[in-house]
Amino acid sequence: MEAQTLYEKLWSSHVVHQEADGTALIYIDRHLVHEVTSPQAFEGLKLAGRKPWRVSSIVATADHNTPTDHWDQGIQDPVSRQQVETLDANIREVGALAYFPFKDERQGIVHVIGPENGATLPGMTVVCGDSHTSTHGAFGCLAHGIGTSEVEHVLATQCLLQKKSKTLLIKVEGQLGRGVTAKDIVLAIIGRIGTAGGTGYAMEFGGSAIRALSMEGRMTICNMAIEAGARAGMVGVDETTVAYLKDKPFAPTGESWDKAVTYWRTLKSDEGATFDKVVELDAATIQPQVTWGTSPEMVVTVNDRVPDPAGEADPVRREGMERALKYMGLEANTPMSEIRVDQVFIGSCTNSRIEDLREAAAVAKGRSKADNVRRVLVVPGSGLVKRQAEAEGLHEVFLAAGFEWREPGCSMCLAMNADRLEPGERCASTSNRNFEGRQGAGGRTHLVSPAMAAAAAVTGHFVDVRTLG
Amino acid sequence: MKPFTVLDGLVAPLDRANVDTDAIIPKQFLKSIKRSGFGPNAFDEWRYLDVGQPGQDNSKRPLNPDFVLNQPRYQGAQILLTRDNFGCGSSREHAPWALEDYGFRVLIGPSFADIFFNNSFKNGLLPIKLGADEVDELFRQCIATEGYSLKVDLAAQTVTRPDGRVIAFDVDPFRKECLLNGWDDIGLTLRHADKIRAFEAQRRAAHPYYFA
Ligand code: SF4
C-alpha cells in the first residue's frame, strides 16, 4: 500500500459519504460542548424537532464564563449565569457521556478535561465549538474547531461536512536548549510561517524535538496550530501517547485496551509519505519567545528589540505594524527586556496543565512578585490539575511569591468572566491570542511560555528566563 | 437559511489585514443565547468611542467618526471589502451573525480564515476570494468613488464593476448549490441517515472503545 500521512489515515477512516465535488460527510466520534457556542445549536435542534444522534459522544463542561474565585457566591454576572444555566438545562434534557458543570471537581477548560479524562483518544475525530480544539490532535486524532451551525449539525447527524485539507509537515529536529519550551517552539513556528501560513492545511508536527515532548508539550503546540491558520494540528502516536492514556477514566481497559493500543500504534505518518508542504526548524536555535504586537505572528525572541516598521517594505504590513505598536504603547527598537508588565496570567488551554504549572513554580520558587506587577493570576486548567498541583505543593510556591491561586476556567485568556486587564495594562500571558482587547478592552497582551511569564512576574519586565539561574 | 442569487450592493472598504473575530464582535456580546441582534455591536470597539456592554441602547452611544463604516457614504453597504486573513481567531459563529445582522451579504478579500469562511456560508453570507491585485483595485475605486457598488452573481460566479469589468470567482459547487437554494445542511445530511447508521455500526464493531 502507498505510504500515507497520519491525516490521510484519519480522514479515510471517517468518510461516510462523498459528493462529486469532494465535500465529504465525516463521522464524529467525540463532541465536546461548552456554554458559549452551544445554546443556539440546542435551540435550533429543538425548533426543528430533532434529537441528538448519539448522546454518548458528548462530553460537556462550563469554562468560558465561570468565575475563578468566590465560588461560594455563584456566578455574579447575570448574562454569564444564564449561559451556564442554559448549558445545564440542555445537558439535563438530552444527556451526555459526561458533564462537568460549574464547581464539579472535574470541571475545567474543555481542552484540558477531554484528554485528562481519556475522552480524547487516538484515531478519533474530535470536534468542539471552539477553535482551540486543535489541541486534541496531540493524541493522533483529527480534531477541529467548528461553528455553532456545525455544532447543531453534529448533534443532529453525528457528521460534519468537510473537504479534505492539504497536508503540511512541520519538522522540528534537534534538541531544545535549557529553559526553552513547547510554547517557544510553536511561537517560533508561527513567527516563521505567519498566522495564515497553515490556512487550508492539516498540520502535523514531527521531528525529534516533538517526539521528545511530553503530552502536555504536544498539546501546547497543537493548541496553537489554529493561530498559524490550520484548523487541525496533530502529532503521531508513540509510547508517550500510550503511557499518558493508561488508566484514564474513559480510556479502555483490559483486552479492549490491548486491542486499541495495537491500532493506535499505526496512527502515524508512514515512512516516505508525502506532504503538500514541509517546513523545517532547528530546535537548537529556538530561543524564548515574546510577542510584541496584536497578532501571534508578531513575535521575536526575548533578546531582540521591538521591530521597526520603517524596515518593512510591504505597505499593508507596515501599517499593521504601526497600528500594533500604537495599540501596544511601544516604541520601535525598544529592547524587549525593558518592557515592564502590570499583570501576569498563567493559564488557558495552551498552558494550564500540570507541567506548565511546574515550570512556572520552578521559576517562582524562593522569589516574589515584583512591586510594579499589580497581579499575578495562576489559573489551573481543571479541577484535576488543581488538586495535583496542590498535592505537589505548587500552590504554596505561588502564594509565597505573592501570586494568586485560582479556581479552574478560561479566565483572563479571553476575559469573559471578571478576570481582565484594565485599559492600557500590559500583561505577560501564557495564553494563545494577543488580539486587541482580548484580555479586556484596551489591554495589552504579550504571549510567552509559563517559565517566561513567571520570570516576568518576579522581575517586573520581560527577561530571558535562562539568566535567572 | 436565506437564499443568495444576485446582489447589486453598495461597497464599504475595511482596509486592514488580520481582522479577527474578537474585533468583528467583542466577547462581551457572546454571552447572548440567541442568534440575532448582534449587528449593532459589529466592530463595536472601532465603531463607538465608549466601551460597549450588552443590553445598551446603541443609538445613544458616541460614534467614532474615524471608523470607515461610520462615514455617511457607506451607510447601507451590503458588500464589505477586506484584506488578508479576515475572520481569523475564534470559531464563534457570532462573527458572521454580526456581519449578516449588520446588513452585509458579501465579503470580498484576498484571503479568509478557514473556520470563519466556512461559517459564513452557513449563514447566507458569501465570502469571495479574489487576487490581491484585483482587491487592491477595488479598494482604490471604492475609495475614489462615492456610491461605489458591485454586482455579485453567484450562479454565474462573477463580480461586475461599475466600469463593466467582470471578475470571475471560485466557489465550491456544493456550497454554491446550498446558498443558491437556501438549503439547510442538516436536512441534506439526513438524506444519508442510512449510510451514517451503517458506518456507525461498522465502526462500533471494529473499535468498540470509541463508543463507551
Ligand atoms: S482557555 Fe482561552 S483559548 Fe482556550 S478555550 Fe478557553 S477561551 Fe478559548
Side-chain angles (χ1 to χ4, degrees):
Chain A
M1 210 168 90
E2 211 185 313
Q4 283 186 305
T5 64
L6 171 58
Y7 174 69
E8 282 156 352
K9 292 180 188 183
L10 293 168
W11 172 268
S12 60
S13 59
H14 287 88
V15 176
V16 173
H17 170 81
Q18 195 150 350
E19 302 285 340
D21 74 344
T23 306
L25 271 185
I26 298 296
Y27 186 80
I28 300 303
D29 296 306
R30 176 68 67 229
H31 188 181
L32 302 165
V33 172
H34 67 89
E35 79 276 18
V36 181
T37 52
S38 66
Q40 293 89 348
F42 280 110
E43 190 195 18
L45 197 70
K46 204 187 289 180
L47 287 175
R50 292 173 175 137
K51 291 253 175 301
W53 181 282
R54 184 164 68 82
V55 165
S56 69
S57 68
I58 299 173
V59 171
T61 194
D63 55 4
H64 284 64
N65 278 286
T66 53
T68 57
D69 57 358
H70 304 299
W71 269 14
D72 50 320
Q73 294 169 18
I75 303 174
Q76 296 294 312
D77 176 352
V79 202
S80 289
R81 191 167 62 236
Q82 185 193 27
Q83 217 169 43
V84 172
E85 285 172 354
T86 304
L87 179 65
D88 285 342
N90 284 327
I91 298 295
R92 212 180 308 124
E93 188 177 334
V94 309
L97 172 69
Y99 179 41
F100 306 120
F102 174 47
K103 294 194 202 178
D104 186 276
E105 58 177 15
R106 283 200 272 168
Q107 178 262 351
I109 305 172
V110 66
H111 308 309
V112 176
I113 61 153
E116 74 182 5
N117 284 290
T120 300
L121 296 171
M124 277 184 163
T125 40
V126 178
V127 295
C128 176
D130 187 281
S131 55
H132 292 97
T133 310
S134 58
T135 312
H136 306 263
F139 289 83
C141 48
L142 181 56
H144 18 61
I146 56 179
T148 297
S149 296
E150 290 174 314
V151 171
E152 186 180 337
H153 192 275
V154 172
L155 283 171
T157 70
Q158 210 58 41
C159 290
L160 191 63
L161 280 166
Q162 277 268 294
K163 273 200 142 174
K164 198 171 171 185
S165 306
K166 290 177 288 177
T167 51
L168 166 59
L169 174 65
I170 308 270
K171 214 169 159 187
V172 192
E173 295 286 359
Q175 206 177 347
L176 278 183
R178 185 180 58 86
V180 184
T181 67
K183 183 65 164 284
D184 301 303
I185 299 183
V186 72
L187 285 170
I189 292 170
I190 297 167
R192 165 87 82 84
I193 70 173
T195 47
T199 304
Y201 290 96
M203 202 183 258
E204 179 173 340
F205 300 96
S208 56
I210 304 292
R211 294 261 78 90
L213 291 174
S214 65
M215 288 316 294
E216 284 85 354
R218 295 177 192 183
M219 283 189 260
T220 298
I221 293 201
C222 290
N223 175 273
M224 290 191 74
I226 185 70
E227 258 41 77
R231 223 172 154 177
M234 63 197 78
V235 176
V237 173
D238 62 10
E239 294 317 304
T240 306
T241 327
V242 174
Y244 178 99
L245 288 168
K246 185 100 182 90
D247 300 324
K248 291 284 186 284
F250 293 110
T253 53
E255 249 177 70
S256 180
W257 167 261
D258 296 338
K259 190 170 169 242
V261 170
T262 308
Y263 170 55
W264 295 345
R265 289 201 171 110
T266 68
L267 296 173
K268 53 186 174 206
S269 290
D270 296 328
E271 203 67 53
T274 43
F275 289 81
D276 294 302
K277 193 163 125 187
V278 179
V279 173
E280 295 188 37
L281 270 83
D282 176 2
T285 63
I286 298 174
Q287 297 191 44
Q289 308 276 311
V290 185
T291 63
W292 56 268
T294 52
S295 161
E297 70 186 9
M298 294 174 164
V299 64
V300 291
T301 83
V302 64
N303 298 308
D304 285 327
R305 290 166 182 268
V306 175
D308 192 340
E312 174 59 58
D314 176 40
V316 177
R317 286 183 70 98
R318 186 165 58 234
E319 214 189 301
M321 290 172 76
E322 281 163 358
R323 188 178 297 125
L325 288 183
K326 184 158 173 254
Y327 181 85
M328 294 296 289
L330 291 174
E331 293 285 336
N333 300 315
T334 309
M336 291 305 291
S337 58
E338 283 177 13
I339 300 174
R340 293 159 75 83
V341 301
D342 306 302
Q343 288 208 51
V344 175
F345 173 61
I346 298 171
S348 90
C349 58
T350 316
N351 282 128
S352 64
R353 298 178 182 82
I354 190 66
E355 186 182 280
D356 303 313
L357 300 186
R358 286 180 192 141
E359 282 170 10
V363 175
K365 197 171 170 103
R367 297 193 168 97
S368 42
K369 176 179 85 60
D371 289 339
N372 64 300
V373 178
R374 183 167 77 81
R375 183 167 74 170
V376 182
L377 282 183
V378 186
V379 184
S382 71
L384 293 183
V385 171
K386 183 167 197 231
R387 274 204 307 284
Q388 175 68 30
E390 288 177 352
E392 296 179 18
L394 303 183
H395 66 309
E396 278 157 11
V397 173
F398 294 132
L399 291 170
F403 300 4
E404 295 183 26
W405 178 241
R406 294 292 188 90
E407 303 291 347
C410 293
S411 180
M412 208 162 71
C413 172
L414 91 165
M416 264 183 97
N417 69 358
D419 309 334
R420 63 187 60 179
L421 298 179
E422 294 300 321
E425 272 194 325
R426 189 179 300 288
C427 181
S429 178
T430 66
S431 55
N432 44 46
R433 287 192 173 142
N434 50 353
F435 300 157
E436 288 185 18
R438 171 77 176 182
Q439 296 192 293
R444 296 160 171 165
T445 303
H446 295 264
L447 305 175
V448 289
S449 73
M452 285 287 289
V458 298
T459 59
H461 55 89
F462 293 108
V463 60
D464 188 336
V465 62
R466 297 172 296 187
T467 65
L468 290 188
Chain B
M1 189 173 78
K2 258 190 271 178
F4 184 104
T5 50
V6 180
L7 173 79
D8 201 334
L10 184 68
V11 185
L14 186 63
D15 198 357
R16 301 181 178 216
N18 296 313
V19 172
D20 61 77
T21 50
D22 286 351
I24 297 172
I25 180 84
K27 62 197 149 274
Q28 63 268 38
F29 304 107
L30 307 183
K31 295 179 185 175
S32 163
I33 56 168
K34 298 272 168 252
R35 260 176 213 267
S36 54
F38 293 100
N41 299 111
F43 303 110
D44 199 274
E45 283 177 19
W46 294 338
R47 193 164 151 198
Y48 302 99
L49 292 170
D50 62 348
V51 175
Q53 289 306 327
Q56 261 173 320
D57 181 352
N58 293 294
S59 63
K60 301 221 167 70
R61 296 175 55 200
L63 290 173
N64 173 5
D66 294 336
F67 182 53
V68 61
L69 293 183
N70 286 337
Q71 295 176 21
R73 60 184 282 200
Y74 298 123
Q75 299 316 300
Q78 290 180 289
I79 299 174
L80 186 68
L81 269 185
T82 69
R83 292 289 186 184
D84 260 319
N85 203 26
F86 186 85
C88 60
S90 105
S91 64
R92 290 182 291 252
E93 215 152 309
H94 307 72
W97 292 339
L99 293 169
E100 204 264 350
D101 200 60
Y102 181 93
F104 291 117
R105 297 293 322 266
V106 173
L107 309 170
I108 299 178
S111 66
F112 296 90
D114 257 3
I115 303 180
F116 172 83
F117 188 73
N118 204 32
N119 284 340
S120 295
F121 280 98
K122 296 181 188 303
N123 291 283
L125 195 61
L126 173 63
I128 298 176
K129 274 186 245 183
L130 296 180
D133 293 345
E134 290 285 9
V135 174
D136 261 349
E137 182 56 25
L138 290 178
F139 265 102
R140 266 195 298 276
Q141 294 193 350
C142 178
I143 291 164
T145 322
E146 190 136 352
Y148 188 78
S149 67
L150 290 169
K151 184 170 167 202
V152 177
D153 185 333
L154 177 57
Q157 297 183 212
T158 54
V159 175
T160 308
R161 291 197 320 217
D163 61 9
R165 179 175 157 74
V166 178
I167 312 165
F169 64 87
D170 273 341
V171 57
D172 262 8
F174 182 74
R175 282 176 165 148
K176 174 177 170 181
E177 206 51 24
C178 290
L179 201 49
L180 279 172
N181 295 289
W183 280 336
D184 150 34
D185 279 3
I186 296 178
L188 284 177
T189 298
L190 286 173
R191 292 184 313 180
H192 303 294
D194 288 347
K195 264 188 152 171
I196 303 172
R197 248 176 246 120
F199 181 94
E200 190 167 55
Q202 222 177 27
R203 186 158 178 79
R204 194 187 288 268
H207 303 286
Y209 37 82
Y210 294 141
F211 293 81

